[in-house]
Amino acid sequence: MTSRTLHPRALLATGAGLAVTAALTLTGAGPAGAQPPAGAAPLADSTTVSPAGHYFAATLNGKATFKIGAVTVTCKVSTSQPTAGGGDDNNRIPAAPGNHNDAGPVGSPINAPTYSSCTTSQMGVTATVTTSGAWAVSMQYGTPSTATLTVPSGGLVARTSGLASCTATAAPTAPAQIASTFTNGEPSTLTVTNASVPVKVVGGFGCPTAATSSVFNAVYDVTDATDPSSQITVTS
């Protein structure tokens, strides 16, 4: 269930089950004095993610739920961690000046979040959630600040067994984005609320095969893996 993440260099946190994942971008003021052409969308706020060059981790706070049709998969453990020993840019804030964007988000590739201790809302049915592929996250300053988690095509698969044997694949034909809210704090948090992600479900009796999307909810603590005394922040 691990894998590379999202690299639109442009916490992680981390996603999941059948829906991870969503996209958030806040529009607002651009560089001082800059004005978009008539009829164009407003410029996005400037964004700075700090500390520049530091690695970060995203750890589930509470539980992650993925609702597909009438079935809900709940996972109690989920995390996206930097690659052991470093050596790549996954789960790493870009070094300066790449950690700042005058008019838009700042992105990083991340290692695919892992999920475990998963159950379902159906009696006699157990679940496992696996992830793979190149995941990524981008942060956008605003009111509130947001984070967009990119799930690669087929990058999250939930399987059930027992009385119902089903396979649900998130982002089945193309990458999908999960929108979330980023809040600075000690630790900072990434909150996914009712994010909808395309899904394809196959299986027999008891499987929600008519469902075409899943709804994801989760809260992740985003922490500084380079300096635990520091906080990951999103500012203008």
Side-chain angles (χ1 to χ4, degrees):
M1 158 167 228
T2 56
S3 176
R4 279 186 93 84
T5 293
L6 348 117
H7 196 315
R9 260 196 188 272
L11 112 296
L12 147 228
T14 186
L18 315 218
V20 180
T21 297
L24 325 79
T25 299
L26 211 345
T27 58
Q35 296 296 328
L43 295 173
D45 289 333
S46 64
T47 300
T48 301
V49 183
S50 301
H54 282 212
Y55 286 97
F56 60 88
T59 304
L60 184 66
N61 183 336
K63 61 186 179 181
T65 60
F66 314 93
K67 190 175 189 307
I68 308 168
V71 179
T72 299
V73 174
T74 300
C75 296
K76 295 181 179 179
V77 179
S78 178
T79 185
S80 175
Q81 298 283 337
T83 302
D88 61 28
D89 289 329
N90 287 0
N91 292 63
R92 188 179 191 180
I93 298 169
N99 68 317
H100 174 81
N101 186 342
D102 284 338
V106 172
S108 302
I110 61 171
N111 286 314
T114 59
Y115 292 88
S116 59
S117 297
C118 301
T119 59
T120 78
S121 57
Q122 294 176 307
M123 291 291 292
V125 178
T126 59
T128 58
V129 176
T130 58
T131 56
S132 62
W135 290 57
V137 66
S138 62
M139 317 299 288
Q140 172 66 59
Y141 175 74
T143 308
S145 293
T146 59
T148 299
L149 179 66
T150 299
V151 183
S153 180
L156 186 149
V157 178
R159 294 182 175 87
T160 64
S161 59
L163 296 180
S165 296
C166 319
T167 299
T169 303
T173 60
Q177 293 183 315
I178 296 174
S180 63
T181 300
F182 190 91
T183 304
N184 293 333
E186 298 182 9
S188 296
T189 57
L190 185 155
T191 302
V192 182
T193 304
N194 294 330
S196 179
V197 174
V199 66
K200 180 177 177 60
V201 181
V202 296
F205 178 77
C207 297
T209 54
T212 57
S213 64
S214 63
V215 178
F216 177 59
N217 285 275
V219 177
Y220 285 86
D221 292 335
V222 182
T223 56
D224 190 324
T226 299
D227 178 6
S229 67
S230 228
Q231 305 302 325
I232 304 299
T233 62
V234 177
T235 57
S236 61

